[in-house]
Amino acid sequence: MRARLLRRVEIGDGFVGGFTATCGGVSREPWASLNLGSHVGDDPKDVGANRDRLSRELGSPVAYMNQVHSNTVAAVTDRFPTGEVGTADALITHRGGCAVAVLVADCVPVLLAAPATGHAAAVHAGRAGMLSGVIAAAVGQLRSGGSDLILAAVGPHICGRCYEVPPDLRSAVCEAEPAAFATTRWNSAGLDIGAAVQAQLRRLDVRIVAVDPACTYEHDDLYSYRRSCHEGSGVTGRFAGVIVSK
Ligand SMILES: [Zn+2]
């Protein structure tokens, strides 16, 4: 039996959620092997085969977004969507609906569950999306459905000791979100987007039930755009955070 593609997180009864890694797929280098991103130069047939494997394991079709670092929230109503369902950075599904996925390679993937309504969301929170309020937008949409309690799982992302930015960019980001302040391991200006996302979730009274501490830059079994740039090619795959409401 093949090893599971999804490392599951506990995010409430009735929800199945988790995060994939690089192994278990068919893509060749430099995307090897479970690349789920269709926009990174990989063979579409291989990406399709990888997405099929994830769907089979979940027992559900999976809807993907065309992510653009915005605060746009979309909802998927089709049980059997094909391809990207829309341009957005948060995607909401409902009980009995298809799974929703966020694709990342350093940005912060966030899964949200609304137990009272059975709605769930996958959110893409990179630096720009975090600053533009994508977390608050997604939480607001879920609450407007009638669930005050929202549970969150924060997936693997680049840590503040690895994410180097120019000092003026750190200043600008931290003026808006002080929790993002970080210093890299080599003592230059850094950003901790994961800490910023968690600060936003806490301010929104969202209950954080899981945080994956793995840093994408430091772990070869996760895709990291920054690491791929450091190694020269700047080409890599995308792993997913995915959630479905059964
Ligand atoms: Zn790191």
Side-chain angles (χ1 to χ4, degrees):
M1 191 180 145
R2 185 184 291 147
R4 298 194 76 84
L5 304 180
L6 201 68
R7 290 169 301 114
R8 291 201 184 183
V9 293
E10 293 298 323
I11 191 165
D13 292 343
F15 299 94
V16 175
F19 301 93
T20 64
T22 57
C23 50
V26 302
S27 294
R28 289 161 292 180
E29 291 292 342
W31 305 277
S33 64
L34 190 66
N35 168 45
L36 297 165
S38 62
H39 60 296
V40 292
D42 194 1
D43 186 329
K45 286 200 298 294
D46 290 347
V47 178
N50 291 339
R51 289 183 172 190
D52 286 348
R53 284 187 182 187
L54 181 59
S55 289
R56 276 201 300 277
E57 180 174 307
L58 280 168
S60 167
V62 181
Y64 296 83
M65 304 173 267
N66 173 35
Q67 301 169 184
V68 293
H69 301 280
S70 70
N71 60 5
T72 302
V73 183
V76 54
T77 50
D78 191 343
R79 177 76 176 89
F80 298 100
T82 52
E84 271 86 29
V85 297
T87 296
D89 287 274
L91 190 56
I92 291 180
T93 188
H94 56 280
R95 183 163 288 149
C98 72
V100 287
V102 47
L103 296 175
V104 288
D106 290 336
C107 288
V108 186
V110 182
L111 306 176
L112 300 173
T117 56
H119 293 183
V123 186
H124 172 231
R127 171 171 51 84
M130 178 277 293
L131 283 178
S132 73
V134 68
I135 298 280
V139 168
Q141 285 265 347
L142 289 174
R143 286 218 167 103
S144 72
S147 184
D148 196 40
L149 174 64
I150 307 289
L151 309 176
V154 178
H157 53 274
I158 192 168
C159 82
R161 290 169 59 75
C162 292
Y163 183 21
E164 182 176 53
V165 294
D168 55 342
L169 178 58
R170 178 174 68 176
S171 301
V173 170
C174 294
E175 199 168 310
E177 184 49 78
F181 187 92
T183 303
T184 65
R185 66 185 75 255
W186 49 93
N187 266 321
S188 59
L191 285 174
D192 189 337
I193 303 303
V197 164
Q198 290 179 66
Q200 293 187 343
L201 288 167
R202 284 191 290 269
R203 285 201 299 272
L204 291 160
D205 282 326
V206 171
R207 188 183 300 171
I208 301 171
V209 294
V211 178
D212 191 321
C215 168
T216 47
Y217 191 90
E218 296 173 65
H219 288 82
D220 285 348
D221 64 343
L222 296 165
Y223 295 111
S224 169
Y225 175 71
R226 281 263 172 154
R227 191 178 66 241
S228 73
C229 291
H230 185 77
E231 290 168 350
S233 73
V235 177
T236 191
R238 297 291 183 272
F239 67 94
V242 59
I243 187 165
V244 62
S245 179
K246 300 273 186 178

